[in-house]
Amino acid sequence: MSPRYAVFGQPIAHSLSPHIHAAFARQEGIELDYTAIESSPEGFAAALESFAASGGAGANVTAPLKETAFALCKTFTSRAKLAGSVNTLLRKGDYWHGDTTDGVGLVRDLTDRHELDLRGRRVLLLGAGGSARSVAPALLDAGIRELVVVNRTPERADELVDAIGEPGRALSRYWDDLRDLGDFELIVNATSAGRDREAKFELPLSLVNTMTTAVDLNYGDAAVAFLAWARAASCRNMVDGLGMLVEQAASSFQQWHEVRPDTDPVYAELRAKNALAGEE
Ligand code: ATR
């Protein structure tokens, strides 16, 4: 049976992952079978089982399945364990090994592509779901000074911060207190609020300083609302999740095929088709 790869999620029809992995495979001269498979959280265990039975060797997992995927893995990388969330599955014998490459993908996009120096920065993380949990430890590893986590449901922000276990550097605050938190060099939107077409972000302007970069982990329509706020608030840089998407895919690809693809041409091609929210 030839190995199969796939991305699972719901909805999944518009996922760019099959295209990205096909482009990487062409670069490396690898023949690749990588498809998109729609699955609900309830149906995911069975879908993954049948994928494995038909030659499934690796998978990416996107919303809303990252935490369900975690529960279906037998072994993990330490960063996946910390996040309680996986986006990359690797078949090992008769079980799945889980990793999360979102965090390293984000950091690589910000530092290599956008040439941001994260060291010593104050960072505001909006959200405490699977995506937020994947990126928080990677931001701390990149040398930021302080991570303030704010979530609509405050208990989830507390849990995230507790899991990180660096009380001096990572702390949780209430959404209602955003006005009192001072300013940040990096503001990361890891909420899924922008996926609602009616969404509007109304965040205090006091969060922004002359250096602030605003990052939405989403791309396309889902990033419009947050980046529109960032533009109106005169943030210095605005970054959507397209670069992170390509970088996290490269890290998954590397684990499955033991070679790191060149992300720049793939990113450039996708960027040409996906203008940053608000750009012509
Ligand atoms: P993902 O895998 O994309 O992280 P998730 O785990 O479902 O998705 O997490 C969604 C995140 O977006 C959560 O932090 C959620 O806040 P709650 O924990 O309070 O649910 C946040 N979120 C979703 N809709 C939101 C909204 N309208 N306003 C603010 N936060 C929102």
Side-chain angles (χ1 to χ4, degrees), residues 92-237:
K92 290 200 169 181
D94 63 352
Y95 66 87
W96 291 104
H97 175 72
D99 187 19
T100 176
T101 61
D102 286 334
V104 284
L106 174 66
V107 168
R108 202 180 263 263
D109 183 52
L110 294 179
T111 56
D112 294 5
R113 181 164 295 115
H114 296 283
E115 297 180 343
L116 291 178
D117 186 355
L118 296 176
R119 288 169 301 176
R121 306 302 186 207
R122 273 195 98 210
V123 180
L124 175 63
L125 180 61
L126 300 170
S131 303
R133 290 219 303 270
S134 308
V135 302
L139 288 167
L140 288 161
D141 284 351
I144 63 166
R145 175 159 58 90
E146 186 177 69
L147 182 72
V148 180
V149 184
V150 173
N151 192 48
R152 180 178 61 179
T153 310
E155 294 77 15
R156 288 183 94 189
D158 294 344
E159 275 167 33
L160 194 165
V161 162
D162 287 350
I164 290 171
E166 288 198 50
R169 279 176 80 209
L171 34 131
S172 55
R173 291 288 179 262
Y174 292 115
W175 197 288
D176 285 346
D177 293 341
L178 278 172
R179 209 167 291 283
D180 307 321
L181 301 183
D183 53 301
F184 295 85
E185 284 89 34
L186 187 66
I187 303 177
V188 180
N189 176 36
T191 77
S192 54
R195 291 177 209 155
D196 170 358
R197 282 183 176 270
E198 308 291 303
K200 256 189 121 181
F201 276 81
E202 280 166 15
L203 303 169
L205 296 180
S206 55
L207 298 172
V208 175
N209 64 29
T210 54
M211 289 182 59
T212 305
T213 294
V215 185
D216 198 318
L217 302 189
N218 301 284
Y219 61 89
D221 289 348
V224 167
F226 175 71
L227 294 181
W229 169 80
R231 198 174 297 275
S234 302
C235 285
R236 182 166 182 169
N237 302 300

Side-chain angles (χ1 to χ4, degrees), residues 25-50:
R26 271 195 305 279
Q27 260 181 29
E28 304 300 335
I30 293 170
E31 229 174 89
L32 184 70
D33 175 0
Y34 186 113
T35 53
I37 302 177
E38 172 115 6
S39 171
S40 65
E42 301 72 36
F44 185 44
L48 198 57
E49 193 70 22
S50 100

